[in-house]
């Protein structure tokens, strides 16, 4: 039974992480949430005062990158790994709207991407991983045996994100979330460093009208066909 790497790329709020987690659990693979890594760096920049009022002090952030420690620690209660930033569990903090609005700006920095891609390469050396992000199938693991590219209409993605955030974020409107989704799409697809794009051999899944279970069953079948 061969071991493989599953790369899941696509637009924001398409359920990449949800799908990746379920696949990893079903296959006995390790799930690596690369988006959480970029969000953690963004949170760090905010905490240190390098990112304030939408202005990023790139030089200060780049200078401190060698001292930045990121790691995933398995949480037995969740059955998943939590994101740790310099020894602190920041899994909840990195999901707030402030981080969401700023993460694309941080992710465009070549130095940040170089550091995180290096960490991701180390994590994938033994294969048996499911990794999701924006450039997994094109930059991080272009040799991945199964590549999925996920998309959905912006309004549908915004509604999903809005429903998710209402439980923890007050005074948030659907219009704000929709604007954030569209803004992230623009930045992700036009940035100079590793822009969001579909790998030539990726399988495109538009899940606008798919349930989570339908999508999961579809991709799980693809993975099992390769692993047999």
């Amino acid at each position: 039974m061969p071991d493989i790497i599953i790369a899941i790329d696509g637009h924001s709020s398409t359920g990449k992480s949800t799908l990746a987690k379920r696949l990893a659990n079903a296959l006995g693979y390790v799930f690596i949430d690369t988006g959480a890594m970029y969000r953690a760096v963004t949170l760090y920049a905010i905490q240190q005062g390098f990112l304030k009022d939408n202005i990023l002090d790139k030089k200060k952030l780049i200078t401190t990158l060698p001292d930045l420690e990121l790691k995933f620690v398995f949480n037995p209660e969740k059955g998943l790994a939590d994101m740790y930033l310099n020894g602190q569990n920041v899994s909840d903090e990195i999901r707030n709207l402030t981080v969401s609005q700023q993460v694309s700006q941080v992710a465009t920095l070549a130095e940040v991407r170089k550091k995180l891609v290096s960490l991701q390469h180390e994590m994938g050396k033994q294969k048996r991983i499911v990794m999701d992000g924006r450039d997994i199938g094109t930059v991080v693991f272009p040799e991945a045996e199964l590549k999925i590219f996920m998309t959905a209409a912006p309004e549908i993605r915004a509604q999903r994100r809005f429903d998710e955030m209402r439980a923890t974020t007050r005074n948030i409107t659907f219009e704000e979330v929709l604007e954030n989704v569209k803004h992230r799409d623009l930045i992700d697809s036009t940035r100079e460093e590793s822009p969001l794009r579909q790998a030539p051999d990726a399988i495109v899944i538009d899940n606008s009208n798919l349930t989570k279970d339908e999508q999961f069953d579809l991709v799980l079948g693809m993975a099992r066909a390769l692993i047999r």
Side-chain angles (χ1 to χ4, degrees), residues 31-39 72 116 120 131-136 140:
F31 164 62
I32 299 175
D33 183 357
T34 64
M37 298 173 75
Y38 286 99
R39 284 173 172 272
F72 290 100
L116 297 194
Q120 292 156 13
M131 187 176 288
D132 78 298
R134 300 290 193 280
D135 59 358
I136 309 305
V140 183

Side-chain angles (χ1 to χ4, degrees), residues 9-225:
D9 292 307
H11 294 100
S12 65
S13 301
T14 50
K16 297 186 299 294
S17 294
T18 299
L19 174 62
K21 291 173 187 176
R22 290 188 67 182
L23 285 173
N25 285 337
L27 298 170
Y29 276 30
V30 175
F31 164 62
I32 299 175
D33 183 357
T34 64
M37 298 173 75
Y38 286 99
R39 284 173 172 272
V41 177
T42 303
L43 178 63
Y44 172 77
I46 293 171
Q47 291 175 338
Q48 299 300 314
F50 303 155
L51 180 52
K52 188 176 182 180
D53 298 327
N54 294 322
I55 299 174
L56 174 63
D57 189 326
K58 299 178 182 179
K59 185 175 181 179
K60 286 185 177 179
L61 176 58
I62 292 169
T63 300
T64 60
L65 282 177
D67 301 323
L68 192 64
E69 181 186 70
L70 297 176
K71 64 179 179 179
F72 290 100
V73 177
F74 184 73
N75 184 328
E77 293 183 2
K78 295 180 180 178
L80 296 168
D82 285 329
M83 181 80 255
Y84 276 70
L85 166 64
N86 291 337
Q88 298 295 316
N89 186 344
V90 294
S91 299
D92 292 332
E93 290 179 82
I94 62 175
R95 301 296 174 184
N96 66 44
L97 185 60
T98 300
V99 172
S100 295
Q101 290 173 330
Q102 306 296 331
V103 65
S104 291
Q105 184 178 181
V106 172
T108 60
L109 292 180
E111 292 83 358
V112 171
R113 302 197 72 82
K114 182 178 180 181
K115 178 182 178 70
L116 297 194
V117 168
S118 177
L119 291 174
Q120 292 156 13
H121 275 146
E122 286 298 315
M123 295 174 182
K125 280 186 175 179
Q126 303 303 316
K127 294 201 173 186
R128 296 183 62 83
I129 63 169
V130 184
M131 187 176 288
D132 78 298
R134 300 290 193 280
D135 59 358
I136 309 305
T138 55
V139 175
V140 183
F141 290 114
E143 74 281 9
E145 289 82 0
L146 178 58
K147 301 177 187 177
I148 303 295
F149 188 90
M150 296 172 61
T151 188
E155 292 77 12
I156 290 177
R157 291 187 281 131
Q159 187 63 56
R160 292 170 180 167
R161 184 68 175 148
F162 178 62
D163 291 342
E164 180 183 88
M165 296 181 69
R166 274 193 300 184
T168 57
T169 306
R170 296 181 179 180
N171 302 321
I172 186 72
T173 67
F174 171 77
E175 288 71 23
E176 287 177 304
V177 178
L178 177 59
E179 180 61 29
N180 175 246
V181 166
K182 291 181 176 179
H183 182 63
R184 289 184 64 185
D185 283 352
L186 177 63
I187 292 178
D188 288 345
S189 60
T190 59
R191 67 191 181 206
E192 292 184 11
E193 187 70 22
S194 300
L196 172 65
R197 58 187 175 87
Q198 175 194 332
D201 54 344
I203 299 168
V204 180
I205 296 179
D206 185 331
N207 62 20
S208 297
N209 298 306
L210 289 177
T211 66
K212 292 180 181 179
D213 286 342
E214 288 172 337
Q215 178 176 259
F216 170 69
D217 290 340
L218 178 63
V219 181
L220 180 61
M222 297 175 187
R224 283 180 169 162

